[in-house]
Amino acid sequence: MNFEEHAAKPLLGKHGILTPQGWLAITPEDAEAAARALGACVVKAQVPTGKRGKAGGIKLAATPAEAAAHTKSIIGMSIDGWPVEKVLVEQQLPFVRELYAAILNDSASKGPMLLFSGLGGMDVEEAAAKDPTAMRRVAIAIEKGLGAEQAREAVAGLGLDTVADKLVDTLLALYAAYRALDAELIEINPLVVTEGGNIVALDCKLTLDDSATYRQAEIAAKASPEKQTVLEAKAAAAGLRYIELGGSVGVLANGAGLTMTTMDVIAHYGGTPANFLEIGGEAYTKAKTALSILLENPNVKSLLVNFCGAFARTDVMAEGVIAAWQDLKPDIPIFFTIHGTGEDEAVKLVKERLAIEPFDLMDDAVKAAVAAASGRITA
């Protein structure tokens, strides 16, 4: 779940992190009224993506009329594929230093990671690329959390001694928000030191773990809608877990873990998966819908079916796929690898009904599907 800035900042405020005063506006008149109350302000496009400033979606306004004009020019823009339908009108805060801070899930350390830099603003990524030491990385032990000493070490030696205590408090609050919100990422860029010596979040990027929706129902309702392709929207309406990718090997497997593993193995053998499509016990009733959606992607040149049954029987899943395949009659090659509960019956079904020999090893099935998609062999 991704959140636009106007929805993310109040969540920071609940954890004691300072943010500027602002109002959401959907018309130039709204923005003009907000600017009258705020004075000099910033008009910011509200979309769940970065690089808004470089795209022209963030503009300074000295007067209410200027705020209205900027709003008129920003609403209707498209930034990274997202249409701009509203803006955040926020007070301008004079500052003396821009910083960067984030807490995110780190796959390398298998836990949370604090990122902090004495450089902030639109070019922080470029600066960090030129000077790897510009971005400080602090691995956090999940069982202990972020400690004050770790936070203090992250800000030390950057000419921030006069506000070090406030910065430490802000970083600890940021971690507390990360844990409380089940976040995957909370990024503040820029985090500024104001002329009055306060630490204020001028922006916030927030991503929450989809699996925690049941714990964050109230917050999740404020998340931005997912940007979906036509096929993804069709699959979601049918209750299917489908993600469209750019490859040529179609994937149909049961269980998210097995599906992702299958995609990894496809990449390992030089192929590119065309989709993520997980289907389990419901394959018997939803296989035709799932296959129809998968096959609507013209890039799919071969299909790999990988079933591994534990509680769900593979023969039941295979029956659904076979019936759908015979009904739809696709003209691409299909490859099966089946293991687990009911595999003998499933393999027999595939042989008898489709005259196809399933592969004993997943690797061999993947190699065949990749080769077929590349045109090196035919079904």
Side-chain angles (χ1 to χ4, degrees):
M1 290 176 285
N2 292 304
F3 290 75
E4 293 172 358
E5 180 186 1
H6 72 92
K9 278 182 170 173
L11 301 175
L12 293 183
K14 289 182 178 180
H15 287 84
I17 298 174
L18 298 178
T19 60
Q21 187 178 12
W23 280 275
L24 199 61
I26 58 175
T27 67
E29 293 75 21
D30 293 339
E32 188 172 5
R36 286 198 190 97
L38 294 171
C41 60
V42 188
V43 181
K44 309 169 84 172
Q46 294 301 284
V47 285
T49 187
K51 308 297 185 184
R52 292 174 298 161
K54 289 186 176 181
I58 299 178
K59 296 182 181 295
L60 298 177
T63 66
E66 196 173 1
H70 288 330
T71 300
K72 186 176 182 179
S73 68
I74 291 173
I75 289 179
M77 292 177 62
S78 177
I79 299 178
D80 194 24
W82 291 94
V84 180
E85 299 174 342
K86 51 190 173 295
V87 298
L88 178 63
V89 183
E90 211 169 53
Q91 66 182 140
Q92 288 187 31
L93 287 180
F95 57 83
V96 296
R97 183 84 180 263
E98 288 184 291
L99 311 170
Y100 173 95
I103 306 284
L104 71 160
N105 293 349
D106 178 56
S107 58
S109 63
K110 298 180 173 60
M113 174 76 73
L114 165 65
L115 300 183
F116 184 81
S117 177
L119 304 173
M122 290 194 295
D123 298 323
V124 64
E125 293 178 1
E126 291 81 354
K130 292 178 181 178
D131 179 9
T133 64
M135 186 68 72
R136 297 184 174 182
R137 294 168 169 80
V138 180
I140 302 169
I142 189 69
E143 65 275 9
K144 294 181 180 178
L146 179 65
E149 286 189 16
Q150 285 182 300
R152 196 168 295 279
E153 288 177 6
V155 306
L158 296 174
L160 298 165
D161 293 349
T162 59
V163 292
D165 290 342
K166 289 181 178 179
L167 268 175
V168 168
D169 289 342
T170 299
L171 294 181
L172 295 178
L174 188 64
Y175 182 73
Y178 163 89
R179 289 301 307 271
L181 296 171
D182 291 304
E184 293 181 345
L185 166 71
I186 305 183
E187 178 186 67
I188 301 176
N189 182 35
L191 179 70
V192 301
V193 182
T194 68
E195 291 180 351
N198 288 320
I199 307 299
V200 181
L202 292 194
D203 193 8
C204 180
K205 182 178 180 181
L206 173 63
T207 304
L208 267 58
D209 185 345
D210 291 344
S211 300
T213 300
Y214 74 98
R215 283 205 300 253
Q216 306 287 356
E218 183 179 348
I219 296 170
K222 300 175 183 177
S224 298
E226 291 187 19
K227 185 166 60 174
Q228 294 180 315
T229 66
V230 172
L231 295 182
E232 287 170 346
K234 187 180 291 189
L240 294 167
R241 292 167 289 276
Y242 172 87
I243 299 173
E244 190 172 346
L245 304 172
S248 58
V249 181
V251 179
L252 180 62
N254 66 297
L258 181 62
T259 307
M260 294 177 69
T261 298
T262 305
M263 293 163 60
D264 287 343
V265 178
I266 289 170
H268 176 74
Y269 286 113
T272 51
N275 63 274
F276 172 101
L277 178 53
E278 178 212 344
I279 190 166
E282 74 267 45
Y284 190 80
T285 57
K286 292 186 177 181
K288 185 175 180 180
T289 302
L291 275 176
S292 296
I293 292 170
L294 187 154
L295 294 167
E296 278 189 59
N297 181 349
N299 296 324
V300 175
K301 305 303 180 185
S302 70
L303 175 61
L304 177 63
V305 178
N306 189 0
F307 287 152
C308 184
F311 300 106
R313 291 186 60 88
T314 57
D315 55 333
V316 175
M317 292 186 283
E319 171 68 29
V321 172
I322 291 167
W325 191 262
Q326 291 177 322
D327 193 11
L328 295 170
K329 297 179 174 60
D331 60 356
I332 63 170
I334 183 172
F335 304 89
F336 288 85
T337 178
I338 303 172
H339 300 90
T341 307
E343 70 174 273
D344 292 339
E345 295 88 339
V347 169
K348 183 179 179 182
L349 282 171
V350 174
K351 288 180 180 179
E352 293 180 350
R353 301 266 295 277
L354 298 180
I356 292 174
E357 184 78 30
F359 288 84
D360 290 334
L361 299 178
M362 177 178 69
D363 286 51
D364 291 338
V366 170
K367 290 176 185 177
V370 169
S374 68
R376 294 199 298 270
I377 63 171
T378 59

